[in-house]
Amino acid sequence: MRPALPPPRGPSEVVRVWELGVHKTLSAEALTSIHRALRAGGRSMVFRNLFLEQYPFYMDRCALYTKMQCNDERDAISEVVTSAIVQAVPYLGSDMASMEFQYKPDWSWGELEDFGRRLAGAIQAWGLLVDLFVVTQPVCFLVPFGLTPGLRDVPLLMYTASHAGYMQGKGTSRLFSEFFQRSLLGRTGATFVTMFAWNAFMYEGALRVRLPVIGGMSLYMGVMPQPVPSRGLYVLRKDQPDDCLMQCLMLRIAREVGFADEISFIGDFKATYREMAKFRAAALFPYVSFSMTFEELGNLAVPIFVPRHHSKHVYDPPLYTASKVSFITHFSRLPNFETFTRALVVHFDSLADLFAKLAPAQDARIAALRHTMAARVAASRRERLGLWQAALR
């Protein structure tokens, strides 16, 4: 079902959007895509993130909305939502400068009822000024459609790269599954979309629903692919950015094979999107089956090199991989992960193989890969914009 937005009243119609999510770039992906689609249809949009404590904390949230008005104001509604949902837990091994947070709420039916009453009171006091709910973290379904009167008739759009059990304790996971099946699935004015195919497979297994897939456009970056690179190799080790052993090993091998290009490590240098677009290639050591960084590199047409063997990855398994056996069974499906099914991604067997694939003799091949990726970015953005326009019509 498409979100049943009111028909356009004229070219100056403003659609009011409330977004519920905790990841800054995932929220920005959804909101900037919706903004572009509405603008193409002659409408404009104002929005607010109901969660203001989003991560990554080192990133300026409002900088992701350069052509949109970013609202940082707090009121009773945002305070109720934030106080009820956010529980900050630092990643192990992180220092305060680079700390990011997970959010792991757990609910009982009684707590949901109490939350619904408090949220309803805040909305009654401030007014319900919203035409569309956008949810980018599945657990947040428990917020707008928990037990809150007055919210059930507002159109809902879920757009997420997170699996169904993300950010949920065991109790919340059971409630979410039951609530999704009973109250959300098949609801008029509700649309559920995911960003990549593996996630759609996971939702089908967890919630018995097959979701359509619309890939990200990364419009929030504000940068187009650069046809000619001016920097060398960017190395992104996502689970341990400060892995000194890997860094020393890579630098030693690069020296031994005569690799002369600049090598920048994410632990030393968090590149802006404008800087990221300048790199000749990126070596990505992902920690999950999908990440926003993976999508961003692809939309910048930076050739991506990923280890072929899962021993080089630390994936975040679904909640149902509770034992060692189920964990191994889960990883036997490695070829289905997005980093292995995405076209034009290059895979390497070892660090020596990586540098062989990046050798000067491969310049023409890497340049052709970059050019092909840029052409596909332009074509996919046109296609995805059309899908967004159809979803919001």
Side-chain angles (χ1 to χ4, degrees), residues 294 304-309 313 337-342 344-350 353-354 357:
F294 179 71
I304 305 171
F305 292 73
V306 175
R308 189 186 311 276
H309 303 292
H313 299 242
F337 284 145
E338 191 71 9
T339 48
F340 290 88
T341 59
R342 181 73 61 91
L344 304 179
V345 174
V346 183
H347 301 104
F348 58 90
D349 296 304
S350 64
D353 185 39
L354 168 65
K357 286 178 164 62

Side-chain angles (χ1 to χ4, degrees), residues 20-36:
L20 291 142
V22 296
H23 194 285
K24 290 177 182 175
T25 54
L26 180 54
S27 297
E29 175 64 54
L31 291 170
T32 54
S33 298
I34 293 169
H35 176 256
R36 178 71 62 87

Side-chain angles (χ1 to χ4, degrees), residues 18 20 50 77 81 115-124 127-133 140-156 184 187-189:
W18 287 3
L20 291 142
L50 292 187
I77 299 172
V81 170
F115 172 76
R117 285 191 292 268
R118 290 190 292 121
L119 184 57
I123 289 173
Q124 184 176 5
L128 182 63
L129 303 175
V130 58
D131 300 307
L132 174 67
F133 276 115
C140 300
F141 280 132
L142 297 173
V143 177
F145 297 97
L147 296 168
T148 308
L151 299 187
R152 299 179 186 126
D153 295 328
V154 178
L156 166 70
L184 296 177
R187 177 184 176 275
T188 300

